[in-house]
Amino acid sequence: FEQAESALPRDAPVDYLLKYLDLCRVLWHDTATQYLALFLPTARTQPEESLEALAAAAEEETDDEEAGEADWGVGATALPPAELLRGRSLSVRLLASWAAESVRALLHILGAYLPKVGEGAYLASLSAHAASSAASLGRVGLSVGALLRRPFREATVGLFDRNLCAAVEHWRRHLAATHWSAPLAAVLP
């Protein structure tokens, strides 16, 4: 992934983000699909089943099997040594951890490049492309659509703010340059 990402041209933020989103969609979808097929072949009964549902199911299985055993850490990240031998819970957690890191990287890239987009039409196009990519990833349990809203919302508000400030400044300069002259009331009939 890093090699393919480094090959993307970064001179135009819109083009870079479109290609980066495509790269994420294709590689993440392939990775999750292959990982689930190899390591969790019986886990996927519903195509829209999320990683959170798989993790919860694995956690319930672990809790049922570990009644009375010592607590090995924080409940959300606890993994007793005996569970390492069985693997389902570990497999789900590894995939969820990889997905979380990948999404963090995507959000970082969006946060860095979206403010550089200077037109609302491009932001709308990128938002639609990101929503389409998120829908595709949701089919393999990587539901990231809700997480992508914030960077686009911030970029849209920032663009609106910059353009509104530019318009106010334009009108302020235009009004300052215009000399208003009104006839005196005594001259009017």
Side-chain angles (χ1 to χ4, degrees):
F1 181 81
E2 289 84 15
Q3 185 180 10
E5 178 196 1
S6 65
L8 296 177
R10 296 177 188 240
D11 51 346
V14 174
D15 293 335
Y16 173 72
L17 286 174
L18 284 172
K19 291 176 183 176
Y20 187 81
L21 286 168
D22 275 339
L23 181 67
C24 289
R25 179 185 54 83
V26 170
L27 292 179
W28 293 2
H29 188 278
D30 289 348
T31 301
T33 301
Q34 291 173 14
Y35 187 90
L36 290 170
L38 291 173
F39 298 108
L40 300 166
T42 60
R44 308 281 302 164
T45 57
Q46 299 289 331
E48 61 277 348
E49 187 175 14
S50 67
L51 289 177
E52 293 83 14
L54 287 173
E59 188 69 34
E60 287 175 14
E61 289 175 7
T62 303
D63 289 344
D64 292 343
E65 295 170 0
E66 297 170 356
E69 290 187 18
D71 184 15
W72 290 91
V74 180
T77 59
L79 191 59
E83 182 59 30
L84 291 172
L85 298 175
R86 289 188 282 282
R88 177 183 165 98
S89 181
L90 177 64
S91 296
V92 170
R93 290 174 189 204
L94 286 174
L95 182 60
S97 175
W98 168 81
E101 287 302 315
S102 298
V103 170
R104 278 191 202 104
L106 173 62
L107 293 175
H108 176 73
I109 293 292
L110 288 175
Y113 280 89
L114 280 177
K116 296 177 183 179
V117 176
E119 293 187 29
Y122 289 142
L123 272 179
S125 174
L126 284 167
S127 178
H129 193 76
S132 171
S133 295
S136 175
L137 292 170
R139 293 185 192 102
V140 292
L142 299 175
S143 302
V144 298
L147 298 173
L148 298 180
R149 290 182 188 138
R150 182 177 181 172
F152 281 99
R153 184 181 320 121
E154 290 172 355
T156 302
V157 169
L159 181 64
F160 177 75
D161 185 50
R162 286 190 307 271
N163 288 338
L164 187 60
C165 288
V168 167
E169 181 61 26
H170 170 77
W171 282 107
R172 188 188 64 74
R173 278 187 274 123
H174 185 69
L175 289 174
T178 303
H179 298 288
W180 296 94
S181 61
L184 296 174
V187 177
L188 294 175

